[in-house]
Amino acid sequence: MSNILVLIDSCEADATETINELLTQGRNLANQVNGSLEAITFDPRHKELAGAWAEHGVNVIHYLTNSALHDYGPQAWAQGIVQIVSLVEPISVISCGSDRGHEVMANVAAILDAPFVSNCLSVTAGERWQASRLQWGGSLIEEVTVASTFPVLSFALHSCETTLSKISEPLKIISHEIELDTESAKTIVIERTEKPEGQSLETSAVVVAGGRGVGSADGFNVLETLAKLLNGKVGCSRAVTNNGWRSHTDQVGQTGKRIAPDLYIACGISGAIQHWVGAMASKNILAINTDPEANMVKKADYAVIANLHEIIPAVSDEIVRRNGQ
Amino acid sequence: MGVMRILVCVKRVPAPGAKIVITKDEQDIDSAHLGFTMSPHEECAIEAAAQLVEQHGGEITILTAGSRASDEQLRYAASVGAGSLVRIENNTGIDWDPQHTARSLSTAVQALEDEFGGYDLLLFGNEAADTGGYQTGIRTAHLLGRPIVNAINGIEIVGDSFVARRETPSGVEVYRVPTPAAFGVKEGINLPRYPTMKGRLASKKLSVAVVEDHSEPGEQCRVRLFRPNEAAKETVILGRDSEAAGAVVDLLEELGLI
């Protein structure tokens, strides 16, 4: 039988939706080849999570352990997955397109000298596999064929709508003690600090972002005031970080954060591809720019043609005035 | 460590502005009117190498795979601190897919190490700005038998090891990897310096060593490249100048944000 192996990385925060999307893609692939969907997990909580995974079409869960594997290690995880590959003989291994998903799949592909097609949107199994995948941070789509009977794949985040597909056979959970060599143990996490719970740029409902048009580090003060009134966070474009006005942790874009707030207020941002791909998933975009021809203005849902240093304090004042009523 | 030797791999990529145009044959992006740069992560990898060398001494080699045009990116790297430049030239017409690229890079690194001595540290960008494959560094490191961690935004030397930091959605991870090691670096690890005039002049005098590529092709093959359909959207102009403040706050109320 043709099986699909899927890495479920439930150890990272906010992963439930991502996992369900990945399992939907995995189940779809398994259906294409009349196979089963077998999950790999390193999460000791897998027994509590198993029911939810089964509802998205997982037939078997392989739980991998090793006494040295007290935390994440890309090469150790890959080595473990390769051992399950030789056991299950799947026709593909898949993961989600997160930093960790990409990293582990690239290691698996490197060990097996298999092709790795990253950030797929859709995949058709066959003698020559076909896939469409994201390039340029999501601004282009590339169609590829793969001349291999065993491609390694990662699926882009939000590449599909989640669907439930309950399997009639009972779910099997199998534990495996995997073997690790000293080489792959070299890249296991030695120390971890958790961020304090709270709002981040990624989880904030409102992001007020500034670009080159803000003009200086101090220029962000008006954005900070507005963001505070809206219980939001301040973001920025790459031009801003390159000028040293704000830290890279605030950067939205292809090489910064990908965000999807309810409202993204882009102040003095021209809207180059590099920035746009980080903000395009926002539910509403309001552009504030002096240039009505700016790309950000053309792509936004709403726009104000104004100097941000005048309009933003005016908006803050108006919010305070209405709140006072 | 004796004299620390660092090798950084870079890729020449177009620098698109607001819109990417595809060539008629749908095989590439139309770069006729575009400038070129290296992927942002790699610019930061070079800066990370330069800072390590400033603190601990050492030398930096830059390696790229591509046509003669890529010398522009190699020379830029030299202007901010690299001392040796190497380019892999491919006259076979084989596409630079990830497997092929990693085979070529690892072969070249091996040859350089055989001739000049081993590298303590190999640095890559986390992913290329254009193709975004997330694998060339990892594949290359595997072929050379080096441990590698991706998505790194902090590297320091502690004893005979590199201690590397990585930001994750939930916090920070720390890795301690013995030399020789490899990392995929992410933008944000530092703020890359600008070249000085002296650096620019020196980089022009530096020669680029060219090696030929004879590596096997990979298994991933491009069919076509296209832009996703963007729903044509009318932007609602809420107003001009400060007078628009009322309309903006109306919108905020409508969206339930205040």
Side-chain angles (χ1 to χ4, degrees), chain A residues 181-202:
Chain A
D181 59 26
T182 49
E183 279 307 303
S184 59
K186 285 178 180 170
T187 50
I188 294 173
V189 170
I190 58 159
E191 192 186 317
R192 175 182 295 280
T193 47
E194 301 291 332
K195 253 192 278 198
E197 290 279 328
Q199 214 183 52
S200 68
L201 201 58
E202 289 101 319

Side-chain angles (χ1 to χ4, degrees), chain A residues 16-174:
Chain A
T16 312
E17 190 55 33
T18 308
I19 290 169
N20 292 345
E21 286 168 9
L22 172 66
L23 293 180
T24 302
Q25 291 279 18
R27 178 31 62 194
N28 172 31
L29 264 184
N31 288 348
Q32 282 183 35
V33 295
N34 269 325
S36 68
L37 180 63
E38 306 203 2
I40 288 181
T41 178
F42 293 84
D43 191 341
R45 301 167 305 156
H46 62 281
K47 279 188 184 148
E48 339 162 5
L49 300 165
W53 298 346
E55 285 192 356
H56 289 88
V58 171
N59 304 79
V60 182
I61 293 172
H62 299 277
Y63 171 51
L64 277 53
T65 57
N66 178 288
S67 55
L69 201 53
H70 50 86
D71 202 328
Y72 172 70
Q75 299 187 291
W77 279 30
Q79 205 186 357
I81 291 169
V82 167
Q83 287 164 40
I84 303 302
V85 166
S86 58
L87 206 69
V88 174
E89 297 184 340
I91 58 166
S92 180
V93 184
I94 69 173
S95 80
C96 79
S98 61
D99 271 345
R100 267 160 66 151
H102 284 139
E103 183 176 41
V104 177
M105 289 303 106
N107 275 289
V108 168
I111 295 171
L112 297 170
D113 194 23
F116 167 38
V117 188
S118 61
N119 268 330
C120 292
L121 297 173
S122 66
V123 175
T124 309
E127 259 177 47
R128 268 189 99 89
W129 289 61
Q130 297 174 341
S132 62
R133 61 179 297 271
L134 297 180
Q135 278 208 1
W136 284 100
S139 20
L140 292 186
I141 297 174
E142 179 188 29
E143 285 176 3
V144 299
T145 57
V146 187
S148 163
T149 50
F150 179 80
V152 176
L153 309 167
S154 72
F155 282 92
L157 304 177
H158 314 304
S159 62
C160 70
E161 296 280 323
T162 295
T163 54
L164 292 175
S165 44
K166 188 99 176 100
I167 305 299
S168 49
E169 305 100 78
L171 175 75
K172 266 195 284 188
I173 300 180
I174 309 169

